[in-house]
């Protein structure tokens, strides 16, 4: 496959008159038509809308107007985002019978304001409950670097669409790792922002106290530009109000000399030799001076499992009672189990959550950035049910989030960064910052990218 154009490159070329937004949209649609039959990332291609939005960008340029930051840039969204006039599937069969969305999700409206062009909706695990994107209703999304392997999930279609170059930007969601795991397995950058930073309005929920939305891209500059376009408080999402807008793009080139970088040890020390090697390279490049122990991370993961299951089970209980046969079996049984969790367990998990948050935030008094692995290893094979971890065979669906769950549990901002490895399947690291300090994590990722350590490999499709 030829070169993969970046979002900011496309926006610049359109602004400079080197190409039209219509041409950019047509090129993206052609890539989707060529590559998606091999990958199954898209569940809907919005060709008519894409060409209409592109025409509006071209008309603005013809009038001599100043174009917004992402004018003419093609993108796609996980199919749990509301798209006006389209049924919001959330990866399910049940939602396919629901009414069409009356308006765009806030995130889509924000990107439209920035001039971006929507080309479609993307495959996912049903109701975002999974890490594999092997969907019983809409098929499996394949990894662009090895189509016999999974792309991760639940935002698997989003990651595969960007990794393959079908679109330069995509939106996903992350409850327990659903942006970071597929970003790592597909070899691209992903951002899980601070809980409450970006509006989730119009994005189908999974677990309200854990859900985040965020972008994928092939470069840090593109990721930051998309993140900047998505920022802003929103009355439609009651938790999207705490943090003020914090543009990250202007700060990327400030470097990391002033940042105190640490590496997470203990629970986060990986067994995989490849992960050990890439973490060491990233730590050296960022002048990591110390190792920190995130306390009770295993307990945090267990509590995250419990709260996720309970909130998800409660949300879907009416359909579980009346339409159980229409669920993906791999999702249904976990939702039923979640609906049966005693309330006292959930209360105990929430009390632990408050204590754990205090313990982890204390670590940022002496560190600005903490590094950790994203996934326990490279992408497993499609249909593979177990893998070795800690000397035991464990379930893949339950274990791919081993390193991500303890962090989203308390809403920390994290950039997933692919670390370059010639000739090997992608692996990624988590660059973790304190709440509302996404800009620091993006700066660290940018520094790694400038050193050639972080890079999105180009698949040969």
């Amino acid at each position: 496959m030829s070169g993969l154009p970046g979002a900011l490159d496309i926006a610049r070329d359109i602004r400079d008159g080197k190409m039209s937004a219509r041409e950019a949209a047509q090129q993206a649609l052609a890539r989707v038509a060529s590559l998606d039959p091999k990958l199954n990332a898209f569940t809907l291609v919005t060709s008519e809308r894409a060409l209409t939005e592109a025409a509006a960008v071209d008309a603005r340029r013809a009038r001599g107007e100043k174009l917004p930051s992402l004018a003419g840039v093609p993108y796609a969204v996980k199919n749990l985002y509301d798209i006006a006039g389209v049924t919001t599937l959330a990866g399910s069969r049940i939602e396919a019978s629901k009414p069409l969305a009356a308006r765009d999700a806030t995130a889509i409206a924000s990107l439209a304001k920035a001039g971006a062009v929507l080309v479609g909706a993307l495959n996912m695990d049903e109701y975002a409950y999974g890490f594999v994107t092997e969907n019983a209703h809409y098929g499996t999304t394949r990894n662009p670097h090895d189509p016999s392997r999974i792309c991760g999930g639940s935002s698997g279609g989003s990651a595969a669409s960007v990794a393959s170059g079908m679109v330069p930007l995509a939106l996903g969601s992350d409850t327990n790792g659903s942006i970071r795991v597929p970003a790592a397995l597909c070899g691209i950058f992903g951002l899980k922002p601070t809980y409450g930073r970006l509006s989730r309005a119009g994005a189908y929920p999974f677990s309200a106290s854990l859900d985040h939305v965020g972008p994928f891209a092939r470069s840090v500059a593109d990721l930051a530009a998309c993140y900047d376009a998505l920022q802003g408080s929103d009355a439609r999402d009651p938790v999207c109000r705490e943090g003020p807008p914090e543009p990250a793009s202007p700060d990327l080139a400030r470097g990391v000399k002033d940042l105190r970088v640490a590496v997470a040890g203990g629970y986060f020390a990986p067994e995989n030799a490849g992960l050990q090697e890439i973490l060491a390279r990233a730590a050296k490049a960022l002048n990591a001076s110390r190792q920190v122990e995130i306390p009770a991370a295993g307990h945090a993961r267990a509590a995250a499992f419990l709260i996720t299951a309970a909130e998800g089970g409660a949300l879907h209980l009416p359909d579980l009672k009346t339409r159980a046969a229409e669920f993906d079996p791999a999702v249904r049984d976990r939702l039923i189990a979640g609906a049966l969790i005693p309330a006292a367990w959930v209360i105990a998990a929430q009390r632990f959550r408050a204590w754990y948050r205090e313990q982890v935030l204390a670590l940022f008094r002496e560190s600005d950035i903490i590094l950790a692995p994203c996934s326990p290893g490279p992408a497993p094979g499609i249909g593979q049910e177990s893998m070795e971890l800690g000397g035991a065979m464990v379930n893949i669906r339950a274990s791919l989030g081993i390193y991500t769950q303890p962090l989203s549990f308390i809403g920390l901002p994290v950039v997933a960064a692919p670390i370059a490895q010639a000739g090997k399947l992608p692996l990624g690291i988590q660059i973790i910052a304190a709440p509302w300090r996404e800009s620091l994590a993006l700066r660290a990722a940018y520094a790694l990218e400038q050193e050639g350590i972080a890079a999105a490999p180009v698949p040969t499709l």
Side-chain angles (χ1 to χ4, degrees), residues 125-131 154 173-178 180 195 200 205-212 299-317 320 331-342 345-350 353 397-398 401 404-411:
D125 289 286
E126 184 181 63
Y127 292 123
Y129 207 167
F131 282 117
S154 62
S173 67
D174 190 310
T175 302
N176 287 307
S178 289
R180 291 160 290 161
Y195 179 79
R200 304 167 302 175
F206 173 18
S207 175
S209 72
L210 287 158
D211 289 344
H212 308 66
H299 291 84
R301 181 174 176 239
F305 263 125
L306 192 150
I307 292 171
T308 300
E311 292 185 357
L315 177 66
H316 294 287
L317 186 57
L320 289 168
V331 172
R332 178 192 60 220
D333 294 347
R334 284 178 290 162
L335 288 173
I336 291 173
L340 298 174
I341 291 174
W345 294 11
V346 179
I347 292 170
Q350 294 286 18
R353 189 181 197 176
R397 289 175 182 261
T404 54
Q405 283 180 287
L407 305 171
S408 43
F409 183 53
I410 52 172

Side-chain angles (χ1 to χ4, degrees), residues 14-38:
I14 292 171
R15 187 170 57 248
D16 293 346
K18 294 180 180 179
M19 71 184 307
S20 67
R22 180 180 178 85
E23 289 172 329
Q26 289 174 326
Q27 289 173 10
L29 292 169
R31 289 194 295 270
V32 172
S34 173
L35 296 176
D36 197 54
K38 305 173 187 177

Side-chain angles (χ1 to χ4, degrees), residues 382-461:
I382 291 171
Q384 184 179 335
E385 295 185 359
S386 61
M387 63 183 179
E388 186 174 350
L389 190 62
M393 297 304 292
V394 298
N395 180 271
I396 283 175
R397 289 175 182 261
S399 301
L400 283 174
I402 184 172
Y403 299 128
T404 54
Q405 283 180 287
L407 305 171
S408 43
F409 183 53
I410 52 172
L412 298 178
V414 184
V415 171
I419 304 301
Q421 301 178 102
K424 296 182 180 180
L425 287 169
L427 288 172
I429 64 169
Q430 295 184 90
I431 303 173
I432 310 154
W436 314 115
R437 302 313 306 271
E438 287 86 350
S439 62
L440 300 187
L442 287 162
R443 275 172 57 192
Y446 186 77
L448 291 175
E449 186 181 39
Q450 295 302 296
E451 292 289 328
I453 293 170
V458 177
T460 54
L461 288 170

Side-chain angles (χ1 to χ4, degrees), residues 41-400:
F42 281 78
T43 53
L44 174 70
V45 179
T46 55
S47 302
E48 183 176 345
R49 173 167 173 160
L51 294 174
T52 298
E53 290 184 336
V57 171
D58 288 335
R60 292 181 66 176
R61 186 180 183 282
R63 292 193 297 268
E65 296 180 20
K66 181 180 178 180
L67 297 182
S69 59
L70 297 176
V73 175
Y75 75 102
V77 300
K78 191 174 183 176
N79 71 24
L80 56 66
Y81 285 85
D82 286 350
I83 300 171
V86 171
T87 301
T88 305
L89 296 176
S92 75
R93 176 182 170 188
I94 290 172
E95 300 304 315
S97 63
K98 302 291 178 67
L100 307 181
R103 61 189 292 189
D104 287 338
T106 295
I108 293 178
S110 296
L111 291 185
K113 184 178 180 181
V117 171
L118 180 66
V119 301
L122 299 159
N123 200 16
M124 58 181 283
D125 289 286
E126 184 181 63
Y127 292 123
Y129 207 167
F131 282 117
V132 294
T133 315
E134 295 183 71
N135 188 297
H137 313 299
Y138 305 105
T140 296
T141 300
R142 297 177 178 273
N143 193 309
H145 297 280
D146 181 348
S148 72
R149 296 178 181 269
I150 66 168
C151 58
S154 62
S155 307
S158 301
S161 70
V162 171
S164 63
M166 288 188 276
V167 287
L169 298 174
L171 297 184
S173 67
D174 190 310
T175 302
N176 287 307
S178 289
I179 287 174
R180 291 160 290 161
V181 169
L185 299 188
C186 289
I188 59 173
F189 294 92
L191 171 63
K192 185 206 77 64
T194 305
Y195 179 79
R197 169 71 84 182
L198 302 182
S199 174
R200 304 167 302 175
Y204 195 97
F206 173 18
S207 175
S209 72
L210 287 158
D211 289 344
H212 308 66
V213 300
F216 293 88
R218 293 184 54 84
S219 74
V220 179
D222 284 359
L223 191 72
C226 189
Y227 163 65
D228 287 349
L230 292 167
Q231 288 189 60
S233 61
D234 183 9
R236 295 177 64 201
D237 182 350
V239 305
C240 183
R241 62 179 186 275
E242 296 183 34
E246 178 207 33
S249 297
D251 285 342
L252 290 181
R254 284 182 56 188
V256 293
K257 289 184 178 180
D258 61 325
L259 298 185
R260 302 165 298 169
V261 181
V263 178
Y267 175 93
F268 289 92
E271 300 174 11
N272 181 280
L275 283 170
Q276 293 172 8
E277 192 269 334
I278 67 170
L279 273 169
R281 287 171 55 204
K284 181 178 180 181
L286 295 175
N287 298 312
S289 58
R290 57 197 294 262
Q291 186 176 93
V292 297
E293 182 103 14
I294 295 178
H299 291 84
R301 181 174 176 239
F305 263 125
L306 192 150
I307 292 171
T308 300
E311 292 185 357
L315 177 66
H316 294 287
L317 186 57
D319 285 332
L320 289 168
K321 289 179 177 179
T322 60
R323 306 179 71 173
E326 298 176 65
F327 282 84
D328 184 330
V331 172
R332 178 192 60 220
D333 294 347
R334 284 178 290 162
L335 288 173
I336 291 173
L340 298 174
I341 291 174
W345 294 11
V346 179
I347 292 170
Q350 294 286 18
R351 286 174 176 165
F352 167 81
R353 189 181 197 176
W355 172 88
Y356 175 72
R357 178 180 174 84
E358 291 180 0
Q359 304 306 305
V360 177
L361 292 186
L363 298 176
F364 289 102
R365 295 171 190 160
E366 298 183 8
S367 299
D368 299 302
I369 294 292
I370 299 173
L371 305 179
C374 255
S375 66
I382 291 171
Q384 184 179 335
E385 295 185 359
S386 61
M387 63 183 179
E388 186 174 350
L389 190 62
M393 297 304 292
V394 298
N395 180 271
I396 283 175
R397 289 175 182 261
S399 301
L400 283 174

